[in-house]
Amino acid sequence: MIKLVIKKKINILLQKYRIARKRHIEIRKFKDPKRIKIYSQIELTEKQKKQIDDFYLSNYGKKIPYTWHRYFTAFTGSFDPQYFPELLFIPEFERYMNPNQSYVNVFADKNVLAAIAAGVGVRMPKSVVSSVNNILLDKEYRLIDWNSLETLLGEGEYFAKPTVDSDSGRGCRLLDCKNNNMLHALKKMGCDFVVQEKIVCSESISRLHPASVNTLRIMTYVWKEKIAVAPVIMRIGRNGSFLDNAHAGGMFIAVNNDGSLHKYAFTEFRERFYEHPDTKIIFEGYVIKNLEKVIKEAIRMHSALSQLGVINWDFTIDKNEEPILIEANTSGGSIWLFQIAWGRGVFGENTAEILQWMRGNRV
């Protein structure tokens, strides 16, 4: 009995430490001079500060710093007391929603995710070769060796990416098998990676920036025994880059339920565009077809991964107008993307109850 009590106290202390460490990371991000420059341009009124204090005190039980509200407001000029700071999202909301770190890690593995997606009929890019813990496999999961890899790939063009411990496009690369350095490039990718056929996006997605696979970011979360969907955004590449990630220089924009884009796309550090700087396509009213199909597939995938309470999905739509799942982000969800793009809190009418729930889970 004493051992159980001690174990429980140790677990509580560990959880408090992990939350404090994550909070410190989020606070440190806003010591970046680029971010300081952005939020310093906005001073909240006393009325706005009171709205934030009242809302968070009554639901979360504590006041929060105004930094995130200033930052989000600076992008669009839209103030919302229900903006949800990353100070609470990653350290607490994600941790409470996804308490088992083993599931978080396993489902983030793109090689594992592909097998689950195939089992529920959700399409992902076709895998040609994968490496799992330094073991090479073909698309039928048969063992192969490096000597046969070049023959297997032929002279095609592929997309290679790490399958674990990767984010923001880090480590991703385009492979041209006519290049004699292809095997060397793959060997530098580590023990866990996948080589996929290149995706050809639908016309409505490709036209925005043909060089990149532009993706729809969809956050789903389990709430009141249902899978809720946050407001959708789209990430778009620029400057000829094959990456669309905001951290890699891409832009992001809000997408209405009918697939139409909002007026402005943003970059991570507050560049704002009403048209794409490369293709000159005007964003406002431009329609991405078949968004509703993507949302249905995201919900289906979350049902298959119901061990987790919140997941950020990256989807695109292929040349046949069908959804393609790119990856699942099971931790470190970038809710700032949604809130900047939409100019309002990511959880909308659920925000108060979510804060109350977090208050009840607080250790």
mmCIF file of all heavy atoms in Angstrom, residues 248-293:
data_model
loop_
_atom_site.group_PDB
_atom_site.id
_atom_site.type_symbol
_atom_site.label_atom_id
_atom_site.label_comp_id
_atom_site.label_asym_id
_atom_site.label_seq_id
_atom_site.Cartn_x
_atom_site.Cartn_y
_atom_site.Cartn_z
ATOM 1 N N ALA A 248 9.085 26.220 -42.716
ATOM 2 C CA ALA A 248 10.004 26.108 -43.849
ATOM 3 C C ALA A 248 9.800 27.237 -44.858
ATOM 4 O O ALA A 248 10.286 27.164 -45.979
ATOM 5 C CB ALA A 248 9.820 24.756 -44.535
ATOM 6 N N GLY A 249 9.062 28.283 -44.461
ATOM 7 C CA GLY A 249 8.887 29.432 -45.328
ATOM 8 C C GLY A 249 7.578 29.481 -46.084
ATOM 9 O O GLY A 249 7.336 30.413 -46.852
ATOM 10 N N GLY A 250 6.708 28.473 -45.864
ATOM 11 C CA GLY A 250 5.422 28.462 -46.548
ATOM 12 C C GLY A 250 4.426 29.414 -45.915
ATOM 13 O O GLY A 250 4.736 30.117 -44.940
ATOM 14 N N MET A 251 3.221 29.455 -46.472
ATOM 15 C CA MET A 251 2.171 30.320 -45.946
ATOM 16 C C MET A 251 0.951 29.484 -45.589
ATOM 17 O O MET A 251 0.854 28.315 -45.976
ATOM 18 C CB MET A 251 1.809 31.393 -46.984
ATOM 19 C CG MET A 251 1.314 30.856 -48.304
ATOM 20 S SD MET A 251 1.030 32.169 -49.534
ATOM 21 C CE MET A 251 2.716 32.664 -49.868
ATOM 22 N N PHE A 252 0.024 30.080 -44.859
ATOM 23 C CA PHE A 252 -1.178 29.356 -44.441
ATOM 24 C C PHE A 252 -2.370 30.288 -44.505
ATOM 25 O O PHE A 252 -2.236 31.514 -44.351
ATOM 26 C CB PHE A 252 -0.998 28.755 -43.043
ATOM 27 C CG PHE A 252 -0.583 29.752 -41.993
ATOM 28 C CD1 PHE A 252 -1.532 30.386 -41.187
ATOM 29 C CD2 PHE A 252 0.742 30.083 -41.807
ATOM 30 C CE1 PHE A 252 -1.159 31.301 -40.219
ATOM 31 C CE2 PHE A 252 1.133 31.010 -40.839
ATOM 32 C CZ PHE A 252 0.184 31.616 -40.046
ATOM 33 N N ILE A 253 -3.547 29.695 -44.714
ATOM 34 C CA ILE A 253 -4.757 30.489 -44.916
ATOM 35 C C ILE A 253 -5.972 29.714 -44.429
ATOM 36 O O ILE A 253 -5.993 28.481 -44.457
ATOM 37 C CB ILE A 253 -4.907 30.859 -46.415
ATOM 38 C CG1 ILE A 253 -6.009 31.904 -46.630
ATOM 39 C CG2 ILE A 253 -5.143 29.612 -47.276
ATOM 40 C CD1 ILE A 253 -5.997 32.512 -48.025
ATOM 41 N N ALA A 254 -6.972 30.420 -43.946
ATOM 42 C CA ALA A 254 -8.207 29.789 -43.478
ATOM 43 C C ALA A 254 -9.042 29.310 -44.654
ATOM 44 O O ALA A 254 -9.076 29.941 -45.713
ATOM 45 C CB ALA A 254 -9.011 30.779 -42.633
ATOM 46 N N VAL A 255 -9.713 28.162 -44.446
ATOM 47 C CA VAL A 255 -10.557 27.572 -45.485
ATOM 48 C C VAL A 255 -11.969 27.394 -44.919
ATOM 49 O O VAL A 255 -12.161 26.727 -43.903
ATOM 50 C CB VAL A 255 -10.019 26.199 -45.940
ATOM 51 C CG1 VAL A 255 -10.822 25.676 -47.134
ATOM 52 C CG2 VAL A 255 -8.538 26.279 -46.295
ATOM 53 N N ASN A 256 -12.949 27.992 -45.568
ATOM 54 C CA ASN A 256 -14.345 27.849 -45.147
ATOM 55 C C ASN A 256 -14.846 26.432 -45.413
ATOM 56 O O ASN A 256 -14.221 25.663 -46.153
ATOM 57 C CB ASN A 256 -15.227 28.851 -45.890
ATOM 58 C CG ASN A 256 -14.918 30.290 -45.509
ATOM 59 O OD1 ASN A 256 -14.796 30.613 -44.337
ATOM 60 N ND2 ASN A 256 -14.776 31.163 -46.503
ATOM 61 N N ASN A 257 -15.992 26.091 -44.848
ATOM 62 C CA ASN A 257 -16.549 24.748 -45.008
ATOM 63 C C ASN A 257 -16.863 24.402 -46.461
ATOM 64 O O ASN A 257 -16.876 23.232 -46.841
ATOM 65 C CB ASN A 257 -17.818 24.593 -44.170
ATOM 66 C CG ASN A 257 -17.516 24.551 -42.678
ATOM 67 O OD1 ASN A 257 -16.399 24.215 -42.271
ATOM 68 N ND2 ASN A 257 -18.490 24.904 -41.856
ATOM 69 N N ASP A 258 -17.120 25.416 -47.286
ATOM 70 C CA ASP A 258 -17.404 25.152 -48.696
ATOM 71 C C ASP A 258 -16.132 25.081 -49.549
ATOM 72 O O ASP A 258 -16.199 24.976 -50.776
ATOM 73 C CB ASP A 258 -18.355 26.212 -49.265
ATOM 74 C CG ASP A 258 -17.751 27.613 -49.259
ATOM 75 O OD1 ASP A 258 -16.597 27.788 -48.782
ATOM 76 O OD2 ASP A 258 -18.436 28.561 -49.731
ATOM 77 N N GLY A 259 -14.971 25.148 -48.885
ATOM 78 C CA GLY A 259 -13.700 25.052 -49.597
ATOM 79 C C GLY A 259 -13.133 26.376 -50.062
ATOM 80 O O GLY A 259 -12.020 26.420 -50.594
ATOM 81 N N SER A 260 -13.857 27.476 -49.861
ATOM 82 C CA SER A 260 -13.364 28.782 -50.311
ATOM 83 C C SER A 260 -12.333 29.337 -49.331
ATOM 84 O O SER A 260 -12.441 29.153 -48.116
ATOM 85 C CB SER A 260 -14.520 29.762 -50.479
ATOM 86 O OG SER A 260 -15.200 29.973 -49.251
ATOM 87 N N LEU A 261 -11.325 30.001 -49.872
ATOM 88 C CA LEU A 261 -10.253 30.561 -49.064
ATOM 89 C C LEU A 261 -10.629 31.941 -48.543
ATOM 90 O O LEU A 261 -11.441 32.649 -49.133
ATOM 91 C CB LEU A 261 -8.968 30.668 -49.891
ATOM 92 C CG LEU A 261 -8.431 29.391 -50.531
ATOM 93 C CD1 LEU A 261 -7.087 29.673 -51.213
ATOM 94 C CD2 LEU A 261 -8.278 28.262 -49.515
ATOM 95 N N HIS A 262 -10.007 32.304 -47.429
ATOM 96 C CA HIS A 262 -10.185 33.642 -46.886
ATOM 97 C C HIS A 262 -9.385 34.663 -47.707
ATOM 98 O O HIS A 262 -8.741 34.313 -48.696
ATOM 99 C CB HIS A 262 -9.748 33.671 -45.420
ATOM 100 C CG HIS A 262 -10.793 33.148 -44.489
ATOM 101 N ND1 HIS A 262 -10.908 33.570 -43.179
ATOM 102 C CD2 HIS A 262 -11.791 32.248 -44.671
ATOM 103 C CE1 HIS A 262 -11.922 32.946 -42.596
ATOM 104 N NE2 HIS A 262 -12.459 32.122 -43.483
ATOM 105 N N LYS A 263 -9.412 35.883 -47.272
ATOM 106 C CA LYS A 263 -8.816 36.969 -48.054
ATOM 107 C C LYS A 263 -7.300 36.956 -48.016
ATOM 108 O O LYS A 263 -6.637 37.223 -49.030
ATOM 109 C CB LYS A 263 -9.325 38.327 -47.543
ATOM 110 C CG LYS A 263 -8.896 39.501 -48.395
ATOM 111 C CD LYS A 263 -9.579 40.786 -47.935
ATOM 112 C CE LYS A 263 -9.223 41.958 -48.858
ATOM 113 N NZ LYS A 263 -9.920 43.198 -48.480
ATOM 114 N N TYR A 264 -6.722 36.633 -46.838
ATOM 115 C CA TYR A 264 -5.268 36.750 -46.688
ATOM 116 C C TYR A 264 -4.629 35.429 -46.250
ATOM 117 O O TYR A 264 -5.168 34.694 -45.419
ATOM 118 C CB TYR A 264 -4.929 37.820 -45.640
ATOM 119 C CG TYR A 264 -5.297 39.223 -46.055
ATOM 120 C CD1 TYR A 264 -6.324 39.903 -45.403
ATOM 121 C CD2 TYR A 264 -4.619 39.865 -47.083
ATOM 122 C CE1 TYR A 264 -6.671 41.200 -45.777
ATOM 123 C CE2 TYR A 264 -4.955 41.153 -47.462
ATOM 124 C CZ TYR A 264 -5.977 41.818 -46.810
ATOM 125 O OH TYR A 264 -6.317 43.091 -47.181
ATOM 126 N N ALA A 265 -3.443 35.189 -46.813
ATOM 127 C CA ALA A 265 -2.563 34.124 -46.326
ATOM 128 C C ALA A 265 -1.436 34.777 -45.533
ATOM 129 O O ALA A 265 -1.030 35.907 -45.829
ATOM 130 C CB ALA A 265 -1.987 33.323 -47.491
ATOM 131 N N PHE A 266 -0.944 34.065 -44.515
ATOM 132 C CA PHE A 266 0.097 34.598 -43.649
ATOM 133 C C PHE A 266 1.314 33.682 -43.654
ATOM 134 O O PHE A 266 1.214 32.490 -43.942
ATOM 135 C CB PHE A 266 -0.417 34.714 -42.203
ATOM 136 C CG PHE A 266 -1.607 35.617 -42.035
ATOM 137 C CD1 PHE A 266 -2.899 35.102 -42.083
ATOM 138 C CD2 PHE A 266 -1.436 36.975 -41.832
ATOM 139 C CE1 PHE A 266 -4.000 35.930 -41.930
ATOM 140 C CE2 PHE A 266 -2.533 37.809 -41.672
ATOM 141 C CZ PHE A 266 -3.815 37.287 -41.727
ATOM 142 N N THR A 267 2.452 34.253 -43.290
ATOM 143 C CA THR A 267 3.632 33.451 -42.989
ATOM 144 C C THR A 267 3.861 33.503 -41.488
ATOM 145 O O THR A 267 3.201 34.267 -40.766
ATOM 146 C CB THR A 267 4.881 33.968 -43.718
ATOM 147 O OG1 THR A 267 5.168 35.303 -43.247
ATOM 148 C CG2 THR A 267 4.671 33.990 -45.229
ATOM 149 N N GLU A 268 4.795 32.703 -41.019
ATOM 150 C CA GLU A 268 5.022 32.582 -39.577
ATOM 151 C C GLU A 268 5.319 33.926 -38.919
ATOM 152 O O GLU A 268 4.912 34.173 -37.784
ATOM 153 C CB GLU A 268 6.170 31.605 -39.317
ATOM 154 C CG GLU A 268 6.450 31.376 -37.857
ATOM 155 C CD GLU A 268 7.536 30.347 -37.615
ATOM 156 O OE1 GLU A 268 8.202 29.939 -38.592
ATOM 157 O OE2 GLU A 268 7.711 29.965 -36.448
ATOM 158 N N PHE A 269 6.020 34.799 -39.633
ATOM 159 C CA PHE A 269 6.409 36.068 -39.024
ATOM 160 C C PHE A 269 5.729 37.271 -39.683
ATOM 161 O O PHE A 269 6.330 38.294 -39.939
ATOM 162 C CB PHE A 269 7.935 36.195 -39.018
ATOM 163 C CG PHE A 269 8.591 35.184 -38.114
ATOM 164 C CD1 PHE A 269 9.337 34.145 -38.631
ATOM 165 C CD2 PHE A 269 8.426 35.251 -36.741
ATOM 166 C CE1 PHE A 269 9.921 33.206 -37.804
ATOM 167 C CE2 PHE A 269 8.999 34.313 -35.894
ATOM 168 C CZ PHE A 269 9.753 33.285 -36.425
ATOM 169 N N ARG A 270 4.439 37.068 -39.967
ATOM 170 C CA ARG A 270 3.495 38.135 -40.264
ATOM 171 C C ARG A 270 3.582 38.755 -41.659
ATOM 172 O O ARG A 270 3.073 39.844 -41.877
ATOM 173 C CB ARG A 270 3.599 39.246 -39.221
ATOM 174 C CG ARG A 270 2.277 40.008 -39.007
ATOM 175 C CD ARG A 270 2.510 41.194 -38.139
ATOM 176 N NE ARG A 270 1.342 42.043 -38.029
ATOM 177 C CZ ARG A 270 1.367 43.319 -37.674
ATOM 178 N NH1 ARG A 270 2.525 43.897 -37.399
ATOM 179 N NH2 ARG A 270 0.275 44.034 -37.593
ATOM 180 N N GLU A 271 4.198 38.090 -42.591
ATOM 181 C CA GLU A 271 3.997 38.534 -43.961
ATOM 182 C C GLU A 271 2.548 38.213 -44.318
ATOM 183 O O GLU A 271 2.005 37.187 -43.894
ATOM 184 C CB GLU A 271 4.938 37.813 -44.919
ATOM 185 C CG GLU A 271 6.391 38.192 -44.780
ATOM 186 C CD GLU A 271 7.266 37.386 -45.714
ATOM 187 O OE1 GLU A 271 7.574 36.221 -45.363
ATOM 188 O OE2 GLU A 271 7.631 37.896 -46.772
ATOM 189 N N ARG A 272 1.924 39.060 -45.105
ATOM 190 C CA ARG A 272 0.522 38.874 -45.447
ATOM 191 C C ARG A 272 0.337 39.050 -46.954
ATOM 192 O O ARG A 272 0.853 39.998 -47.535
ATOM 193 C CB ARG A 272 -0.349 39.887 -44.685
ATOM 194 C CG ARG A 272 -1.837 39.663 -44.849
ATOM 195 C CD ARG A 272 -2.638 40.526 -43.896
ATOM 196 N NE ARG A 272 -2.633 41.924 -44.298
ATOM 197 C CZ ARG A 272 -3.420 42.854 -43.765
ATOM 198 N NH1 ARG A 272 -4.258 42.531 -42.791
ATOM 199 N NH2 ARG A 272 -3.369 44.103 -44.180
ATOM 200 N N PHE A 273 -0.404 38.112 -47.564
ATOM 201 C CA PHE A 273 -0.583 38.119 -49.013
ATOM 202 C C PHE A 273 -2.061 37.989 -49.366
ATOM 203 O O PHE A 273 -2.754 37.120 -48.818
ATOM 204 C CB PHE A 273 0.171 36.954 -49.648
ATOM 205 C CG PHE A 273 1.658 36.965 -49.406
ATOM 206 C CD1 PHE A 273 2.199 36.272 -48.320
ATOM 207 C CD2 PHE A 273 2.509 37.657 -50.241
ATOM 208 C CE1 PHE A 273 3.569 36.278 -48.082
ATOM 209 C CE2 PHE A 273 3.883 37.673 -50.021
ATOM 210 C CZ PHE A 273 4.415 36.982 -48.939
ATOM 211 N N TYR A 274 -2.534 38.818 -50.270
ATOM 212 C CA TYR A 274 -3.896 38.663 -50.785
ATOM 213 C C TYR A 274 -3.895 37.837 -52.065
ATOM 214 O O TYR A 274 -4.929 37.352 -52.513
ATOM 215 C CB TYR A 274 -4.557 40.023 -51.026
ATOM 216 C CG TYR A 274 -4.049 40.760 -52.240
ATOM 217 C CD1 TYR A 274 -4.689 40.620 -53.470
ATOM 218 C CD2 TYR A 274 -2.924 41.584 -52.165
ATOM 219 C CE1 TYR A 274 -4.218 41.289 -54.593
ATOM 220 C CE2 TYR A 274 -2.458 42.243 -53.278
ATOM 221 C CZ TYR A 274 -3.106 42.103 -54.493
ATOM 222 O OH TYR A 274 -2.635 42.755 -55.608
ATOM 223 N N GLU A 275 -2.708 37.657 -52.665
ATOM 224 C CA GLU A 275 -2.530 36.784 -53.812
ATOM 225 C C GLU A 275 -1.229 36.016 -53.636
ATOM 226 O O GLU A 275 -0.347 36.434 -52.879
ATOM 227 C CB GLU A 275 -2.501 37.580 -55.125
ATOM 228 C CG GLU A 275 -1.279 38.465 -55.271
ATOM 229 C CD GLU A 275 -1.196 39.163 -56.625
ATOM 230 O OE1 GLU A 275 -2.201 39.154 -57.358
ATOM 231 O OE2 GLU A 275 -0.112 39.712 -56.941
ATOM 232 N N HIS A 276 -1.124 34.876 -54.307
ATOM 233 C CA HIS A 276 0.113 34.112 -54.176
ATOM 234 C C HIS A 276 1.239 34.860 -54.879
ATOM 235 O O HIS A 276 1.086 35.269 -56.034
ATOM 236 C CB HIS A 276 -0.038 32.706 -54.777
ATOM 237 C CG HIS A 276 1.053 31.786 -54.337
ATOM 238 N ND1 HIS A 276 2.342 31.872 -54.827
ATOM 239 C CD2 HIS A 276 1.069 30.779 -53.416
ATOM 240 C CE1 HIS A 276 3.091 30.958 -54.259
ATOM 241 N NE2 HIS A 276 2.353 30.286 -53.382
ATOM 242 N N PRO A 277 2.379 35.065 -54.203
ATOM 243 C CA PRO A 277 3.450 35.872 -54.799
ATOM 244 C C PRO A 277 4.057 35.257 -56.060
ATOM 245 O O PRO A 277 4.662 35.977 -56.869
ATOM 246 C CB PRO A 277 4.496 35.959 -53.681
ATOM 247 C CG PRO A 277 4.192 34.810 -52.776
ATOM 248 C CD PRO A 277 2.718 34.604 -52.848
ATOM 249 N N ASP A 278 3.909 33.943 -56.235
ATOM 250 C CA ASP A 278 4.479 33.293 -57.421
ATOM 251 C C ASP A 278 3.459 33.137 -58.540
ATOM 252 O O ASP A 278 3.723 33.488 -59.687
ATOM 253 C CB ASP A 278 5.038 31.910 -57.047
ATOM 254 C CG ASP A 278 6.121 31.990 -55.994
ATOM 255 O OD1 ASP A 278 6.704 33.078 -55.830
ATOM 256 O OD2 ASP A 278 6.368 30.981 -55.319
ATOM 257 N N THR A 279 2.292 32.593 -58.207
ATOM 258 C CA THR A 279 1.300 32.285 -59.250
ATOM 259 C C THR A 279 0.304 33.418 -59.482
ATOM 260 O O THR A 279 -0.466 33.369 -60.448
ATOM 261 C CB THR A 279 0.524 31.007 -58.884
ATOM 262 O OG1 THR A 279 -0.142 31.203 -57.624
ATOM 263 C CG2 THR A 279 1.461 29.808 -58.775
ATOM 264 N N LYS A 280 0.295 34.407 -58.583
ATOM 265 C CA LYS A 280 -0.582 35.581 -58.687
ATOM 266 C C LYS A 280 -2.076 35.229 -58.581
ATOM 267 O O LYS A 280 -2.930 36.031 -58.953
ATOM 268 C CB LYS A 280 -0.331 36.348 -59.996
ATOM 269 C CG LYS A 280 1.125 36.745 -60.210
ATOM 270 C CD LYS A 280 1.665 37.553 -59.032
ATOM 271 C CE LYS A 280 3.136 37.910 -59.238
ATOM 272 N NZ LYS A 280 3.709 38.598 -58.058
ATOM 273 N N ILE A 281 -2.385 34.065 -58.068
ATOM 274 C CA ILE A 281 -3.788 33.708 -57.845
ATOM 275 C C ILE A 281 -4.309 34.457 -56.624
ATOM 276 O O ILE A 281 -3.699 34.422 -55.551
ATOM 277 C CB ILE A 281 -3.945 32.187 -57.661
ATOM 278 C CG1 ILE A 281 -3.675 31.460 -58.983
ATOM 279 C CG2 ILE A 281 -5.336 31.832 -57.128
ATOM 280 C CD1 ILE A 281 -3.696 29.955 -58.885
ATOM 281 N N ILE A 282 -5.437 35.137 -56.778
ATOM 282 C CA ILE A 282 -6.056 35.855 -55.664
ATOM 283 C C ILE A 282 -6.736 34.838 -54.749
ATOM 284 O O ILE A 282 -7.493 33.975 -55.207
ATOM 285 C CB ILE A 282 -7.063 36.890 -56.184
ATOM 286 C CG1 ILE A 282 -6.314 37.978 -56.980
ATOM 287 C CG2 ILE A 282 -7.848 37.521 -55.038
ATOM 288 C CD1 ILE A 282 -7.210 38.961 -57.682
ATOM 289 N N PHE A 283 -6.467 34.936 -53.459
ATOM 290 C CA PHE A 283 -6.957 33.932 -52.516
ATOM 291 C C PHE A 283 -8.463 34.026 -52.244
ATOM 292 O O PHE A 283 -9.157 33.016 -52.240
ATOM 293 C CB PHE A 283 -6.200 34.042 -51.191
ATOM 294 C CG PHE A 283 -4.748 33.659 -51.286
ATOM 295 C CD1 PHE A 283 -3.756 34.533 -50.863
ATOM 296 C CD2 PHE A 283 -4.373 32.436 -51.805
ATOM 297 C CE1 PHE A 283 -2.422 34.187 -50.942
ATOM 298 C CE2 PHE A 283 -3.037 32.073 -51.899
ATOM 299 C CZ PHE A 283 -2.055 32.956 -51.469
ATOM 300 N N GLU A 284 -8.945 35.222 -51.988
ATOM 301 C CA GLU A 284 -10.325 35.366 -51.526
ATOM 302 C C GLU A 284 -11.317 34.750 -52.519
ATOM 303 O O GLU A 284 -11.345 35.115 -53.701
ATOM 304 C CB GLU A 284 -10.679 36.827 -51.302
ATOM 305 C CG GLU A 284 -12.034 37.016 -50.649
ATOM 306 C CD GLU A 284 -12.304 38.462 -50.268
ATOM 307 O OE1 GLU A 284 -11.692 39.365 -50.874
ATOM 308 O OE2 GLU A 284 -13.129 38.691 -49.348
ATOM 309 N N GLY A 285 -12.103 33.791 -52.031
ATOM 310 C CA GLY A 285 -13.119 33.156 -52.862
ATOM 311 C C GLY A 285 -12.614 31.997 -53.703
ATOM 312 O O GLY A 285 -13.424 31.269 -54.290
ATOM 313 N N TYR A 286 -11.295 31.788 -53.758
ATOM 314 C CA TYR A 286 -10.755 30.649 -54.511
ATOM 315 C C TYR A 286 -11.190 29.361 -53.811
ATOM 316 O O TYR A 286 -11.066 29.233 -52.599
ATOM 317 C CB TYR A 286 -9.235 30.738 -54.574
ATOM 318 C CG TYR A 286 -8.584 29.674 -55.430
ATOM 319 C CD1 TYR A 286 -8.361 29.876 -56.782
ATOM 320 C CD2 TYR A 286 -8.199 28.450 -54.875
ATOM 321 C CE1 TYR A 286 -7.764 28.897 -57.568
ATOM 322 C CE2 TYR A 286 -7.608 27.473 -55.653
ATOM 323 C CZ TYR A 286 -7.390 27.702 -56.996
ATOM 324 O OH TYR A 286 -6.799 26.713 -57.770
ATOM 325 N N VAL A 287 -11.686 28.396 -54.580
ATOM 326 C CA VAL A 287 -12.302 27.210 -53.980
ATOM 327 C C VAL A 287 -11.425 25.968 -54.131
ATOM 328 O O VAL A 287 -10.968 25.647 -55.234
ATOM 329 C CB VAL A 287 -13.692 26.935 -54.595
ATOM 330 C CG1 VAL A 287 -14.284 25.635 -54.042
ATOM 331 C CG2 VAL A 287 -14.639 28.099 -54.308
ATOM 332 N N ILE A 288 -11.217 25.292 -53.006
ATOM 333 C CA ILE A 288 -10.575 23.976 -52.989
ATOM 334 C C ILE A 288 -11.695 22.946 -53.029
ATOM 335 O O ILE A 288 -12.509 22.861 -52.099
ATOM 336 C CB ILE A 288 -9.721 23.782 -51.717
ATOM 337 C CG1 ILE A 288 -8.670 24.897 -51.602
ATOM 338 C CG2 ILE A 288 -9.063 22.401 -51.733
ATOM 339 C CD1 ILE A 288 -7.703 24.986 -52.742
ATOM 340 N N LYS A 289 -11.732 22.171 -54.089
ATOM 341 C CA LYS A 289 -12.835 21.230 -54.263
ATOM 342 C C LYS A 289 -12.684 20.009 -53.360
ATOM 343 O O LYS A 289 -11.583 19.575 -53.058
ATOM 344 C CB LYS A 289 -12.905 20.778 -55.731
ATOM 345 C CG LYS A 289 -13.219 21.900 -56.707
ATOM 346 C CD LYS A 289 -13.247 21.378 -58.139
ATOM 347 C CE LYS A 289 -13.555 22.500 -59.125
ATOM 348 N NZ LYS A 289 -13.535 22.024 -60.531
ATOM 349 N N ASN A 290 -13.816 19.490 -52.928
ATOM 350 C CA ASN A 290 -13.899 18.220 -52.186
ATOM 351 C C ASN A 290 -13.314 18.271 -50.778
ATOM 352 O O ASN A 290 -12.846 17.253 -50.253
ATOM 353 C CB ASN A 290 -13.235 17.086 -52.979
ATOM 354 C CG ASN A 290 -13.978 16.792 -54.270
ATOM 355 O OD1 ASN A 290 -15.202 16.598 -54.264
ATOM 356 N ND2 ASN A 290 -13.266 16.776 -55.391
ATOM 357 N N LEU A 291 -13.383 19.430 -50.153
ATOM 358 C CA LEU A 291 -12.944 19.537 -48.760
ATOM 359 C C LEU A 291 -13.743 18.596 -47.863
ATOM 360 O O LEU A 291 -13.206 18.004 -46.937
ATOM 361 C CB LEU A 291 -13.088 20.978 -48.270
ATOM 362 C CG LEU A 291 -12.800 21.222 -46.786
ATOM 363 C CD1 LEU A 291 -11.360 20.875 -46.436
ATOM 364 C CD2 LEU A 291 -13.118 22.670 -46.405
ATOM 365 N N GLU A 292 -15.036 18.452 -48.144
ATOM 366 C CA GLU A 292 -15.882 17.613 -47.283
ATOM 367 C C GLU A 292 -15.394 16.165 -47.263
ATOM 368 O O GLU A 292 -15.507 15.472 -46.245
ATOM 369 C CB GLU A 292 -17.348 17.692 -47.725
ATOM 370 C CG GLU A 292 -17.685 17.021 -49.042
ATOM 371 C CD GLU A 292 -17.281 17.800 -50.286
ATOM 372 O OE1 GLU A 292 -16.812 18.947 -50.149
ATOM 373 O OE2 GLU A 292 -17.432 17.268 -51.400
ATOM 374 N N LYS A 293 -14.821 15.694 -48.370
ATOM 375 C CA LYS A 293 -14.271 14.327 -48.410
ATOM 376 C C LYS A 293 -13.094 14.203 -47.450
ATOM 377 O O LYS A 293 -12.927 13.187 -46.759
ATOM 378 C CB LYS A 293 -13.809 13.978 -49.826
ATOM 379 C CG LYS A 293 -14.907 13.726 -50.836
ATOM 380 C CD LYS A 293 -14.278 13.276 -52.158
ATOM 381 C CE LYS A 293 -15.310 12.972 -53.219
ATOM 382 N NZ LYS A 293 -14.682 12.521 -54.494
#
